[in-house]
Amino acid sequence: ELVTCGPSATPRSGAAQGDADIIHNGAVAFTGDKIVGVGPTEEIMHRFRGEDTDLIDATGKTVTPGLVDAHTHLIWAGWRDEEYEMRLKGATYLEIMQAGGGIMSTVTATRLAAEDELKRLAKVRLERMLAHGTTTVEIKSGYGLSVEDELKSLRAIRSLNEELQEAGSGPRIAATFLGAHAIPAEYKGKENDYIDLICNEMLPQVAAESLAEWCDAFCDIRAFDAEQTRRILSTAKSLGLGTRLHANEFARVGAVQVAAEMGCSSADHLLVLEPEDIEALMVAGTIAVLLPGTPLGLGLGSYAPARALIEAGVPVALATDCNPGTCPSENLVLMISLACSQMKMTPAEAIVAATINSAYSLNRGEILGSLEVGKLADIVLWDAPNHRHLAYHFGVNLAEMVFVGGRRLQI
Ligand code: NIG
Ligand code: FE
């Protein structure tokens, strides 16, 4: 099966999300870093096979676009496995956070780590993502929470990106500034001073050094309220950054409405949604980035209402949320599987979500995310007889070959 997810001139929503445009006995041809042909194998062989053509026989297997992970927090130091065990014994994520653990414990460890160390740690995680078929990764800062440490985190992302691009050896990276991930301890009781710091110092420096394409904020209970989020995102927009938002993960504090009103590219998490929230996302054309690894990691037992979103015509994307607190997994295929078993998405909907729709959420839908002539040759060959196996045959790695820009990378 050649799962093309194309042509897709826009994110796929509603019934179109459920059609991954699969060609049975299909083939894809690429030259340099671009796709030059997609179609039935016989036709592609006839048109493109020359004397020096490298031929990869995918008989009995499945080929998809490279997966796009649109929401990760890869830049961190220090693990939180003790917290995990505390939660297993009954403590909740928000209780641990209020007691000074949670995000703040990762902030302490990340502040102590040098830029090079953060880069080295993130590289290992990126390699693991690539090995599971992910070829584009969004990476957020957000465990620095001071001017110096947020810039250090973003510089680590940039330097990693440059290194991988030069070596032609890793996934593509999109950087996001998430200074509004938590109120750092030293700003307790003077939250608005921290918002000032973000708007007056952090964001202008991030923009001046072009350290991030996107700005995100954690708009939720015990995090940033709607008003503070509005201020941060509008400052980011005025500096030329795109916007995306952690919305409705734990409580409804108006995050979805802020995302819709600010024209955010995506609203992410969406675990607690009312029909009016879904309506707002639909009207605004905001992509819903769902992160089923997070409720799995937290043991919540309830997932985002993917079916209601799809039925309302909201384009749905999938991501790992890879972070040390709620979901340390690098495996986006696992999220495809959870999307099906827990959120009742079809395998085709979930694959569309993790490829073309994620690509659109990162403003890359016109250059990658589907197998279409002219797009970047980011392609995965899976040891799977058809696309359903990506969801159905879960918990193991089925990725067999991964190509980024036409180059087969070592996995
Ligand atoms: O997306 N919600 C905020 N951020 C992360 C968790 C970060 C952490 O616990 O370290 C999330 O789930
Ligand atoms: Fe997150």
Side-chain angles (χ1 to χ4, degrees), residues 215-247:
C215 178
D216 188 352
F218 183 18
C219 182
D220 217 305
I221 185 169
R222 284 190 264 285
F224 296 82
D225 68 23
E227 205 37 57
Q228 294 167 330
T229 303
R230 254 185 219 107
R231 241 192 96 196
I232 294 162
L233 296 187
S234 52
T235 306
K237 274 172 86 167
S238 73
L239 291 164
L241 277 80
T243 54
R244 42 206 321 111
L245 195 59
H246 276 72

Side-chain angles (χ1 to χ4, degrees), residues 160-185:
L160 183 54
N161 194 13
E162 284 169 359
E163 184 185 312
L164 295 177
Q165 295 315 307
E166 265 165 43
S169 68
R172 305 172 193 281
I173 295 175
T176 299
F177 168 68
L178 178 59
H181 195 192
I183 304 277

Side-chain angles (χ1 to χ4, degrees), residues 327-338:
C327 179
S329 177
E330 291 95 342
N331 185 351
L332 186 49
V333 191
L334 174 64
M335 308 314 156
I336 289 178
S337 194
L338 289 172

Side-chain angles (χ1 to χ4, degrees), residues 270-293:
L270 307 177
L271 292 178
V272 280
L273 281 189
E274 292 294 330
E276 67 206 75
D277 303 321
I278 297 178
E279 171 81 11
L281 293 171
M282 192 272 288
V283 171
T286 309
I287 297 175
V289 177
L290 305 185
L291 312 160

Side-chain angles (χ1 to χ4, degrees), residues 71 73 80 83 87 93 97 102-104 106 140 143 178 181 218 220 246 249-250 269 291 294 298 321 323-327:
H71 181 139
H73 302 255
R80 306 227 301 270
E83 245 176 50
R87 287 205 311 274
Y93 180 77
M97 189 159 140
I103 294 176
M104 283 319 289
T106 302
K140 303 175 198 296
Y143 292 117
L178 178 59
H181 195 192
F218 183 18
D220 217 305
H246 276 72
E249 180 178 0
F250 295 102
H269 283 289
L291 312 160
T294 301
L298 290 173
D321 196 20
N323 76 77
T326 59
C327 179

